[in-house]
Amino acid sequence: FRPETEHLRYAEGKSERRGELLYATQSFENVPDGRRIQVAWGRIDHEGMPFTQMILFPTEFFLRTTPQGIRLQAMPIKEIGQLHGAAHSWDNVSAAQANVGLASVKPGPLHVLVNFTLAEGNSLRLRYQGNELLELSGKEVKVGENQLEMLIDKTVAEIFLNNGERYIVRQLSAGKNGKSLEFDGVEYGPAIKSLQVYEMQSVWEKK
């Protein structure tokens, strides 16, 4: 075996205290439909809890050929859809119009799907409970339509750009306000073709 590139990482996200947020991944290949499923350790701190760190959402691994060569990519497993609760959907809206609708979405575990375009001089900036969640410049995305998928839990957000081209893990800070998602810098933000937000139910059965 001879490496063809420098050391590559398929996931992004660090903290000053813990280092890489995605750590000690386990993957399973004996899935009946042939998928390779990842379950990763998320080095996320939980203030006031009698435990440290967590397990991230399960994701499916893919090997894809890109202009840069073969790359390992990850996307949420399809079973995430079984946890969908109340649904919110908007089509062909500006970032400012999206914020009007998003004001009715409560903070909490969310599954978010966005199809958007972004002019080169514009930026997509998202906040969650008043804190910066994501910023993408027009130079970081494709010309034309892009896809953004996000899983937002109580203390972590997992972000997938363009079907896993980028996989970003973010530790969530304590909320500054009671708002949920909102676009920042809306005047020079994205054009949104579709936006779907699903409130997520707990994976644990309620007794």
Side-chain angles (χ1 to χ4, degrees):
F1 173 78
R2 294 184 179 181
E4 297 178 350
T5 68
E6 297 179 356
H7 186 195
L8 301 174
R9 294 187 180 275
Y10 66 94
E12 308 169 32
K14 293 183 178 181
S15 73
E16 293 183 3
R17 181 178 181 185
R18 299 291 184 186
E20 298 289 340
L21 293 180
L22 185 145
Y23 189 71
T25 291
Q26 300 180 66
S27 69
F28 302 87
E29 64 175 346
N30 58 340
V31 181
D33 58 8
R35 289 180 294 168
R36 170 75 74 158
I37 304 297
Q38 166 193 250
V39 177
W41 177 4
R43 297 202 288 188
I44 306 292
D45 293 312
H46 300 81
E47 187 175 350
M49 293 290 103
F51 58 85
T52 62
Q53 306 176 40
M54 63 185 298
I55 297 297
L56 298 176
F57 282 100
T59 56
E60 181 179 356
F61 276 142
F62 300 91
L63 276 179
R64 292 187 173 125
T65 300
T66 74
Q68 294 75 38
I70 296 175
R71 294 290 185 269
L72 179 69
Q73 298 177 353
M75 284 291 289
I77 59 172
K78 60 186 179 183
E79 287 82 1
I80 294 296
Q82 297 176 17
L83 299 176
H84 285 175
H88 311 266
S89 181
W90 302 271
D91 293 319
N92 299 314
V93 294
S94 67
Q97 291 169 327
N99 279 349
V100 174
L102 289 170
S104 66
V105 179
K106 297 178 181 179
L110 300 173
H111 187 193
V112 183
L113 303 164
V114 190
N115 284 4
F116 69 95
T117 59
L118 190 62
E120 185 174 334
N122 290 7
S123 295
L124 183 155
R125 299 204 299 270
L126 276 170
R127 290 185 175 274
Y128 182 71
Q129 292 191 292
N131 295 306
E132 182 181 295
L133 178 63
L134 176 68
E135 180 171 359
L136 295 171
S137 73
K139 295 181 180 180
E140 293 181 89
V141 299
K142 299 183 297 185
V143 174
E145 191 171 316
N146 293 266
Q147 296 78 41
L148 184 65
E149 183 167 357
M150 296 182 289
L151 292 167
I152 302 174
D153 207 340
K154 293 181 179 180
T155 56
V156 67
E158 297 181 58
I159 301 167
F160 306 81
L161 178 65
N162 289 331
N163 297 313
E165 287 182 7
R166 292 180 67 183
Y167 173 23
I168 305 166
V169 182
R170 291 272 189 268
Q171 179 168 339
L172 299 179
S173 302
K176 294 179 179 177
N177 59 40
K179 295 181 180 180
S180 183
L181 277 175
E182 58 181 332
F183 289 90
D184 195 8
V186 293
E187 185 176 355
Y188 299 102
I192 300 167
K193 182 176 181 181
S194 65
L195 169 60
Q196 297 168 293
V197 180
Y198 298 95
E199 298 177 25
M200 297 280 282
Q201 303 174 41
S202 174
V203 70
W204 303 106
E205 280 190 36
K206 293 182 179 179
K207 301 296 185 181

